[in-house]
Amino acid sequence: MELMIKDDFNTVSCPALAGMVNEIRQDIAYCEQRKRKDYAALADIARNDISRPRVRQRQLRMMGR
């Protein structure tokens, strides 16, 4: 999509402007969908990190550190 200044919108036809609006809405929907996937991935990482045993900490405690 091209960058347009405000004055350019007065020369654009209604169907072309509707197409631009539709493209922007699709981009926003894609970003929202990607954000949800990223948050789900972060939640999985956090969940796995909590359930993973802390082997290194146990080894240090056994060594007296």
Side-chain angles (χ1 to χ4, degrees), residues 36-47:
R36 285 193 298 274
K37 287 181 180 179
D38 290 344
Y39 279 127
L42 286 174
D44 289 343
I45 291 169
R47 192 172 25 249

Side-chain angles (χ1 to χ4, degrees), residues 55-65:
V55 176
R56 181 72 180 146
Q57 289 177 357
R58 290 180 193 160
Q59 289 173 348
L60 289 175
R61 278 190 229 134
M62 292 175 142
M63 293 176 160
R65 291 184 183 180

Side-chain angles (χ1 to χ4, degrees), residues 3 5 7 25 28 36 41 48 51 53 62:
L3 183 62
I5 58 174
D7 293 335
R25 285 184 178 156
I28 291 171
R36 285 193 298 274
N48 289 337
S51 65
M62 292 175 142

Side-chain angles (χ1 to χ4, degrees), residues 22-49:
N22 188 31
E23 185 179 347
I24 291 170
R25 285 184 178 156
Q26 287 175 350
D27 290 344
I28 291 171
Y30 172 77
C31 291
E32 290 292 325
Q33 181 183 25
R34 184 70 198 165
K35 183 172 68 171
R36 285 193 298 274
K37 287 181 180 179
D38 290 344
Y39 279 127
L42 286 174
D44 289 343
I45 291 169
R47 192 172 25 249
N48 289 337
D49 190 46

